[in-house]
Amino acid sequence: MSQISSRKAQLEAFDRLLTIMDELREQCPWDRKQTIQSLRHLTIEETFELSDAILDDNLEEIKKELGDILLHIVFYAKIGSEKDAFDISTVINSLCEKLIRRHPHIYGDTIADDEEAVKQNWEKIKLKEKGNTSVLGGVPRSLPALIKAMRIQEKARGVGFDWQEKAQVWEKVEEEMQEFKAEFNAVEGQEIDRERATGEFGDLLFSLINYARFIDINPEEALEKTNLKFIKRFQYLEQAAKASGKKIEDMTLAEMDVYWEEAKRL
């Protein structure tokens, strides 16, 4: 058998997991106590741990974190079966049916020659399925704002509401930058209208996210890479200062900048 398990081995592994879940739910005090609500925050945490593993490009950790998320899916399905609401088979079959419906270019007569056509078909079918009165109705309210902005823009594009050229988007970025400067770059000592400045800054961020989408950059991924880069350099600064017998809080900005420039060269 190759490194990638055969279908038979995959099904046996899944059956083993379901059996273990049944046993834990019956015999383990902690597992018996859990509810859909109590698992929610743990599932979110596991999702972020998977995200970390993906950012590190650590396939071994990705494998482990996928296992943890799969456990949660099976756990929710087990609780659902106890409530006679759903079980793992109805979850999987529902997913299969949705995938077939949303890929009419594979399972029907629809033509989709490129990725963009596939995405547009997906959004139109999804809108019809959910019965939303708005294209944006399917965007989760609890999404982080940056990711939510991405999804809003993608969904709007799915029904044809989008810029035609990236140059137009960049013009919008520059326009929003000027409007923000006008609100925030007030005369020294003059009180700033924080609400208006906040609104203009939000418009600027939204336009930058839009431009990133047009040049095929994931802004969430880009910002996280910058976060990690800053952490690495700042921690070098801390370590270098300590090695020199200095306390970072007692150093001048000019002194700290010396170590910062060293970190940038690493």
Side-chain angles (χ1 to χ4, degrees):
M1 188 172 62
S2 65
Q3 284 185 323
I4 304 300
S5 299
S6 68
R7 180 59 57 88
K8 182 174 182 294
Q10 292 169 355
L11 293 173
E12 288 175 350
F14 193 58
D15 181 67
R16 183 185 180 202
L17 173 60
L18 294 176
T19 300
I20 291 172
M21 184 73 256
D22 289 343
E23 293 169 347
L24 293 178
R25 186 66 172 168
E26 182 179 343
Q27 300 175 33
C28 174
W30 186 88
D31 288 279
R32 277 203 310 266
K33 186 178 179 181
Q34 300 314 304
T35 66
I36 286 176
Q37 289 73 27
S38 71
L39 289 173
R40 176 181 173 274
H41 75 280
L42 298 175
T43 307
I44 293 171
E45 182 179 337
E46 294 295 353
T47 304
F48 279 114
E49 289 179 3
L50 173 61
S51 176
D52 286 346
I54 292 172
L55 286 173
D56 294 337
D57 197 23
N58 188 328
L59 293 179
E60 182 62 25
E61 284 301 310
I62 290 173
K63 180 188 74 174
K64 293 177 182 177
E65 298 304 338
L66 285 173
D68 290 342
I69 289 177
L70 178 57
L71 169 61
H72 280 239
I73 293 170
V74 169
F75 210 149
Y76 287 120
K78 176 63 178 175
I79 297 172
S81 69
E82 294 168 355
K83 296 177 178 293
D84 293 324
F86 55 84
D87 63 12
I88 194 64
S89 65
T90 56
V91 169
I92 294 172
N93 282 324
S94 177
L95 171 60
C96 291
E97 290 160 7
K98 179 171 71 174
L99 289 173
I100 291 170
R101 286 196 310 273
R102 294 190 185 179
H103 289 81
H105 54 291
I106 303 297
Y107 301 103
D109 299 327
T110 302
I111 297 174
D113 295 326
D114 55 31
E115 178 189 3
E116 189 59 37
V118 172
K119 289 167 68 175
Q120 288 186 8
N121 284 337
W122 180 282
E123 291 298 339
K124 290 175 182 176
I125 295 168
K126 186 175 180 180
L127 183 63
K128 185 177 180 180
E129 286 176 354
K130 289 181 174 291
N132 290 330
T133 56
S134 169
V135 170
L136 307 181
V139 179
R141 296 190 307 275
S142 58
L143 272 181
L146 194 151
I147 299 174
K148 184 185 289 187
M150 292 167 54
R151 293 297 294 130
I152 287 171
Q153 293 169 8
E154 288 169 355
K155 284 183 173 294
R157 181 176 180 80
V159 293
F161 186 79
D162 203 4
W163 300 94
Q164 296 297 315
E165 304 290 339
K166 67 180 180 181
Q168 297 173 307
V169 188
W170 185 250
E171 288 176 6
K172 185 63 176 176
V173 171
E174 292 182 322
E175 175 189 326
E176 296 296 352
M177 174 63 80
Q178 292 304 317
E179 291 181 6
F180 174 68
K181 287 176 67 176
E183 291 294 335
F184 196 73
N185 190 24
V187 178
E188 186 174 355
Q190 180 178 330
E191 186 176 351
I192 294 171
D193 187 330
R194 295 286 176 181
E195 185 173 350
R196 287 180 59 84
T198 298
E200 295 298 345
F201 187 68
D203 291 346
L204 175 58
L205 283 179
F206 193 85
S207 64
L208 280 169
I209 292 167
N210 214 356
Y211 187 72
R213 180 173 57 84
F214 257 78
I215 59 175
D216 199 26
I217 290 176
N218 184 310
E220 171 72 18
E221 180 181 329
L223 182 58
E224 181 58 11
K225 285 184 177 180
T226 296
N227 288 339
L228 295 174
K229 180 170 61 178
F230 184 91
I231 290 170
K232 181 179 179 181
R233 291 175 180 175
F234 191 83
Q235 289 178 341
Y236 174 87
L237 189 164
E238 291 176 313
Q239 294 164 4
K242 184 176 181 180
S244 301
K246 301 175 182 177
K247 292 184 178 180
I248 190 170
E249 57 268 27
D250 296 331
M251 295 170 64
T252 65
L253 186 59
E255 290 174 321
M256 287 190 282
D257 195 51
V258 172
Y259 295 126
W260 185 264
E261 290 300 321
E262 288 180 6
K264 289 170 63 175
R265 293 192 291 270
L266 295 177

